[in-house]
C-alpha cells in the first residue's frame, strides 16, 4: 500500500471546535494506525473570515489534546509552506494549465450582472447556476477584455450532463448529477483560489492519500473530484464523518454552551477525557471494549468502516461524567500538573510557592479527586485545605452547631486530638472511636460537627484523612473557632463573622 498521508486543514476562523478536533483526531488515529503521516495545513485564503490569533489557538488546542502532526506549522516538512496564503503560485499555475487545456475559462461577468441573474433565477424558483455566458468567448474576446483591465475570475468548465460518483469510505457510493453543479469559480478576481480549488491543488501537492473530513464537505467533493480529473491528478480516497448535532438535534452552535476545546479546558476537562469523548462521537469501539479507552487502544482498533453514517448527538453530561472517571484514575502527577492553574486561579496556591508545597498539594488532590468531575470542581472542593474557614454551611450550622451538646462534645474532641502524638488517620480515628464508645453516643454526633468545624462544609473526603492533611495545629485551631462560634451563636451573625475573620488573622 502507498504511504498513508492524511491532513487536517482548518481555516483559522476561530477556536478549535469539537467538530474540528474530532476530524483531527480521526485523521491522527488513521495516520498512526497505518504508520502514515498527518499533515497540518492552514487554509487561510479567505481573508474576510480569518480571525487573528486563531492559528495559535488551534495549534495550542491540538497540542494540548496530544495530537502530534508530522508536517505543518512548527514542524516543517517537504511539502511546505503549510499556509495556503503562501502557496498562491501553485494555484495560479494549476489554473493556467486548466485554461490552456480548455477545461477552465475566464469569466468577466460583473458582480451586478450576476446579482441580477441570481434574482431572476430565484424568481423562477431554480437554484442559482451561472449562465455560462463567458464559457465560449473566443481567445480574441478574452484578450480584449483582459486588455481593458477587467479583473476576471476563473471558472471550471463542467460537463452539461452525466453523473459524478464519489466513492466514500464511510458512505459508499454517492452520486451527483452534473446538471446540478455550477461552473464554479476556482480563482477569484483578487487572484486568490477558492477553497475547492486550493484544496485539490494542495492535497495533490502534499500527496494526500485519504481525505477524512466533515460531512459538510461531501457536497464539495464532486467539484473537487472533477478538478482532480481535469488536472490529471490521482484522486485520493474520501471519507466524510457525520455531523455533530446539539441535544435538540439542531446544528451545534454557541447557544448550546461550550463547543470549543479551549472552553472545555477552561471548564476543567482533561485532554484524554475530551479525546475519548470525541472518539465516541461517531465511532464505536469493539463490543468487548469499555467506553473508556486510551488513545493507544483507539489507534489499534480504529477503522473508518466503523465510523457512523448517522449524526452524533453531543451530550455535555456524558463528557463531564467521562472526565470524572479520568479524574479518578489519572496519574496523580499529571492530575496535579493540570490542576495547578485552577488552584492558582482560585487564589488557593501561589505560583511561587507551589513547588515548596508540592507534597501538600498532592495529598489534597488525592483526597478530593474521587468526589469531583472537573478540575474546576476540584479547586472548589479544596478551598478549606488552603484557606481558613470563614463561614459554615448554613444547613450544617442549624443541624450540628445548634444542638445543645455540640459545644461540650467538640471540647471533648479537641482534648482527645490534642493528646495525640503521631497525628495520622489511624490515631485520630481511634481517638474518635474510643470517645464514641466511652460516651455511648452515635458516631455522627461528633463526626458531623467536627467535619463542619474543620471544613465549613457538610461533605468532605474521609474526616480522618482531612485531619491528617490539615495537621494537628490547624485542626485544633478550627475546633477552637467552632467552639467559640457555637458559644456566641446567639450574637449577631455579622458580628460573629467579623470576629471569626480576626481570629483567622491572628492564626496566620
Ligand atoms: N478548511 C476547511 C474547513 O475548515 C477544510 C475542509 C477540508 O478538509 O477539505 O472546513
Amino acid at each position: 500500500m502507498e504511504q498513508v498521508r492524511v491532513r487536517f486543514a482548518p481555516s483559522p476562523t476561530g477556536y478549535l471546535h469539537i467538530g474540528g478536533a474530532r476530524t483531527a483526531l480521526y485523521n491522527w488515529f488513521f495516520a498512526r494506525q497505518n504508520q502514515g503521516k498527518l499533515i497540518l495545513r492552514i487554509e487561510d485564503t479567505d481573508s474576510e473570515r480569518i480571525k487573528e490569533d486563531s492559528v495559535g489557538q488551534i495549534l495550542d488546542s491540538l497540542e494540548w489534546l496530544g495530537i502530534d502532526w508530522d508536517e505543518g506549522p512548527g514542524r516543517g516538512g517537504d511539502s511546505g509552506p503549510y499556509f495556503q496564503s503562501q502557496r498562491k503560485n501553485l494555484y495560479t499555475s494549476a489554473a493556467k494549465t486548466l485554461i490552456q487545456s480548455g477545461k477552465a475559462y475566464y469569466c468577466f461577468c460583473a458582480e451586478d450582472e450576476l446579482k441580477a441573474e441570481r434574482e431572476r433565477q430565484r424568481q423562477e424558483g431554480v437554484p442559482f447556476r451561472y449562465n455560462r455566458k463567458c464559457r465560449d468567448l473566443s481567445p480574441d474576446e478574452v484578450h480584449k477584455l483582459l486588455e481593458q483591465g477587467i479583473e476576471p475570475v476563473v471558472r471550471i468548465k463542467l460537463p452539461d450532463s452525466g453523473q459524478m460518483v464519489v466513492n466514500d469510505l464511510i458512505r459508499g457510493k454517492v452520486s451527483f448529477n452534473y446538471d446540478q453543479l455550477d461552473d464554479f469559480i476556482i480563482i477569484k478576481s483578487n487572484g486568490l483560489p477558492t477553497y475547492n480549488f486550493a484544496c485539490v491543488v494542495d492535497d495533490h501537492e502534499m500527496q494526500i492519500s485519504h481525505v477524512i473530513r466533515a460531512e459538510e464537505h461531501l457536497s464539495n467533493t464532486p467539484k473537487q473530484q472533477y478538478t482532480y480529473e481535469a488536472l490529471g491528478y490521482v484522486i485520493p480516497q474520501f471519507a466524510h464523518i457525520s455531523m455533530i448535532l446539539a441535544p435538540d438535534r439542531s446544528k451545534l452552535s454557541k447557544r448550546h454552551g461550550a463547543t470549543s476545546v479551549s472552553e472545555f479546558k477552561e471548564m476543567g476537562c482533561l485532554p484524554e477525557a475530551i479525546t475519548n469523548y470525541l472518539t465516541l462521537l461517531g465511532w464505536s469501539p469493539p463490543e468487548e471494549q469499555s467506553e473508556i479507552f486510551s488513545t493507544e487502544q483507539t489507534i489499534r482498533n480504529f477503522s473508518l468502516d466503523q465510523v457512523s453514517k448517522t449524526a452524533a448527538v453531543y451530550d455535555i453530561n456524558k463528557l463531564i461524567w467521562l472526565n470524572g472517571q479520568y479524574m479518578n484514575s489519572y496519574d496523580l502527577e499529571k492530575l496535579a500538573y493540570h490542576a495547578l492553574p485552577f488552584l492558582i486561579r482560585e487564589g488557593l496556591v501561589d505560583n511561587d510557592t507551589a513547588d515548596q508545597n508540592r507534597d501538600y498539594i498532592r495529598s489534597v488532590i488525592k483526597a478530593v479527586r474521587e468526589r469531583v468531575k472537573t478540575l474546576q470542581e476540584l479547586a472548589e472542593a479544596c478551598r478549606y485545605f488552603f484557606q481558613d474557614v470563614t463561614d459554615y454551611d448554613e444547613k450544617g450550622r442549624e443541624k450540628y452547631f445548634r444542638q445543645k451538646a455540640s459545644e461540650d462534645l467538640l471540647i471533648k474532641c479537641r482534648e482527645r486530638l490534642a493528646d495525640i502524638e503521631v497525628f495520622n488517620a489511624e490515631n485520630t480515628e481511634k481517638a474518635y472511636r474510643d470517645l464514641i464508645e466511652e460516651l455511648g453516643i452515635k458516631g455522627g454526633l461528633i463526626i458531623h460537627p467536627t467535619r463542619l468545624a474543620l471544613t465549613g462544609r457538610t461533605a468532605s473526603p474521609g474526616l480522618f484523612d482531612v485531619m491528617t492533611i490539615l495537621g494537628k495545629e490547624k485542626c485544633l485551631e478550627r475546633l477552637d473557632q467552632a467552639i467559640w462560634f457555637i458559644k456566641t451563636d446567639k450574637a449577631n451573625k455579622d458580628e460573629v463573622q467579623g470576629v471569626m475573620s480576626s481570629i483567622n488573622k491572628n492564626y496566620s
Side-chain angles (χ1 to χ4, degrees):
M1 182 171 156
E2 54 168 339
Q3 196 197 19
V4 164
R5 285 176 64 83
V6 292
R7 81 316 188 259
F8 176 55
S11 305
T13 52
Y15 296 104
L16 181 63
H17 214 252
I18 51 170
R22 186 187 59 166
T23 302
L25 267 178
Y26 284 15
N27 274 288
W28 182 55
F29 295 147
F30 191 73
R32 293 290 166 268
Q33 185 180 58
N34 294 290
Q35 286 82 46
K37 299 269 187 254
L38 171 63
I39 289 103
L40 177 62
R41 179 173 78 222
I42 306 296
E43 303 212 322
D44 59 347
T45 55
D46 191 352
S47 51
E48 274 166 31
R49 292 177 57 228
I50 292 176
K51 290 216 183 87
E52 224 183 297
D53 281 353
S54 69
V55 173
Q57 307 265 14
I58 292 170
L59 302 193
D60 285 353
S61 291
L62 290 172
E63 292 206 323
W64 184 74
L65 287 174
I67 301 177
D68 54 335
W69 58 99
D70 302 291
E71 293 176 27
R75 303 281 197 280
D78 294 338
S79 311
Y82 294 92
F83 285 78
Q84 286 190 327
S85 56
Q86 296 166 21
R87 301 172 63 84
K88 195 176 158 199
N89 290 345
L90 287 167
Y91 314 127
T92 316
S93 127
K96 274 210 178 104
T97 309
L98 288 179
I99 293 170
Q100 276 157 8
S101 60
K103 291 176 177 157
Y105 58 94
Y106 288 114
C107 166
F108 298 87
C109 293
E111 204 35 62
D112 289 353
E113 226 176 302
L114 292 173
K115 220 168 150 189
E117 180 63 21
R118 198 169 279 131
E119 184 51 29
R120 195 185 60 74
Q121 295 191 13
R122 195 186 64 79
Q123 279 176 12
E124 276 178 23
V126 292
F128 176 71
R129 281 182 79 207
Y130 171 59
N131 62 13
R132 299 181 166 177
K133 187 174 154 206
C134 296
R135 186 163 151 136
D136 297 314
L137 292 177
S138 69
D140 270 359
E141 284 170 308
V142 170
H143 188 72
K144 260 191 223 134
L145 288 161
L146 286 175
E147 294 260 281
Q148 284 170 25
I150 302 177
E151 280 172 352
V153 300
V154 180
R155 289 183 183 271
I156 201 144
K157 218 180 244 183
L158 285 185
D160 292 326
S161 57
Q163 270 196 337
M164 163 64 72
V165 179
V166 172
N167 207 350
D168 188 278
L169 293 174
I170 298 173
R171 280 142 224 287
K173 287 191 189 334
V174 190
S175 316
F176 299 85
N177 288 337
Y178 279 123
D179 62 10
Q180 283 174 5
L181 298 175
D182 205 11
D183 274 1
F184 60 94
I185 297 174
I186 57 173
I187 302 282
K188 297 181 271 189
S189 57
N190 62 7
L192 288 173
T194 55
Y195 154 68
N196 275 318
F197 192 57
C199 176
V200 169
V201 173
D202 286 343
D203 284 343
H204 167 76
E205 292 288 334
M206 295 178 177
Q207 296 162 48
I208 299 302
S209 60
H210 295 75
V211 171
I212 305 170
R213 63 183 168 200
E215 185 186 6
E216 62 182 359
H217 292 293
L218 182 60
S219 59
N220 287 319
T221 309
K223 299 182 190 173
Q224 294 181 11
Q225 190 160 302
Y226 183 80
T227 312
Y228 280 100
E229 285 174 3
L231 284 164
Y233 294 166
V234 177
I235 300 171
Q237 308 243 46
F238 291 105
H240 288 90
I241 314 166
S242 300
M243 305 234 295
I244 301 177
L245 297 179
D248 61 3
R249 300 204 144 253
S250 64
K251 190 166 184 261
L252 191 59
S253 72
K254 274 256 153 275
R255 77 191 158 90
H256 297 107
T259 50
S260 69
V261 172
S262 46
E263 282 170 302
F264 290 127
K265 182 180 176 191
E266 276 293 290
M267 275 165 52
C269 290
L270 293 165
E272 287 85 347
I274 300 180
T275 54
N276 191 153
Y277 178 69
L278 292 180
T279 306
L280 280 174
L281 263 188
W283 179 75
S284 317
E287 252 169 46
E288 67 283 2
Q289 189 182 306
S290 100
E291 279 198 315
I292 300 172
F293 42 76
S294 66
T295 305
E296 290 72 30
Q297 277 172 298
T298 315
I299 290 173
R300 242 179 288 126
N301 295 330
F302 186 76
S303 87
L304 285 172
D305 53 29
Q306 292 298 315
V307 172
S308 166
K309 290 187 190 54
T310 50
V313 178
Y314 163 75
D315 176 2
I316 179 89
N317 297 325
K318 173 109 183 242
L319 168 61
I320 300 295
W321 171 81
L322 254 179
N323 202 61
Q325 303 292 311
Y326 274 86
M327 298 272 307
N328 227 321
S329 59
Y330 220 54
D331 170 72
L332 184 61
E333 264 322 293
K334 266 169 72 186
L335 188 58
Y337 168 81
H338 286 291
L340 193 60
F342 288 82
L343 299 178
I344 294 173
R345 190 166 79 184
E346 287 298 309
L348 304 178
V349 170
D350 188 352
N351 202 10
D352 302 333
T353 53
D355 245 9
Q356 279 155 255
N357 297 325
R358 227 178 142 265
D359 293 345
Y360 184 74
I361 295 171
R362 272 154 192 69
S363 60
V364 171
I365 293 176
K366 194 166 167 217
V368 300
R369 64 189 290 174
E370 274 176 35
R371 314 179 58 82
V372 293
K373 293 202 175 69
T374 66
L375 294 164
Q376 182 57 38
E377 280 179 23
L378 179 124
E380 277 151 19
C382 282
R383 188 167 298 281
Y384 54 84
F385 283 112
F386 297 100
Q387 290 177 344
D388 295 320
V389 172
T390 53
D391 201 0
Y392 299 108
D393 175 87
E394 185 128 357
K395 284 206 182 106
R397 224 163 55 198
E398 285 300 317
K399 232 166 142 184
Y400 307 125
F401 283 181
R402 288 260 154 80
Q403 286 172 11
K404 251 176 123 228
S406 295
E407 188 186 337
D408 292 343
L409 287 174
L410 283 185
I411 291 172
K412 287 202 169 64
C413 292
R414 192 213 184 275
E415 281 166 9
R416 295 296 166 103
L417 292 182
D419 284 343
I420 297 176
E421 273 177 25
V422 181
F423 200 81
N424 58 22
E426 198 189 339
N427 292 345
T428 49
E429 179 163 4
K430 182 166 185 319
Y432 266 56
R433 297 278 163 236
D434 289 349
L435 185 60
I436 290 164
E437 217 183 287
E438 279 168 38
L439 299 176
I441 54 170
K442 282 201 180 129
L445 272 181
I446 56 174
I447 300 225
H448 297 315
T450 304
R451 173 174 287 115
L452 189 62
L454 299 185
T455 68
R457 303 175 186 192
T458 53
S460 75
L463 182 62
F464 305 107
D465 293 329
V466 172
M467 285 188 187
T468 313
I469 298 170
L470 285 173
K472 186 170 172 178
E473 200 185 331
K474 272 267 168 286
C475 288
L476 297 183
E477 279 172 12
R478 290 189 185 179
L479 282 169
D480 283 341
Q481 175 180 294
I483 293 162
W484 175 86
F485 182 89
I486 297 171
K487 211 193 289 278
T488 49
D489 195 22
K490 288 166 218 82
N492 169 294
K493 191 171 160 240
D494 293 340
E495 203 180 302
V496 171
Q497 275 179 1
V499 181
M500 271 177 72
S501 52
S502 71
I503 290 181
N504 282 321
K505 262 191 217 112
N506 293 338
Y507 283 161
S508 48

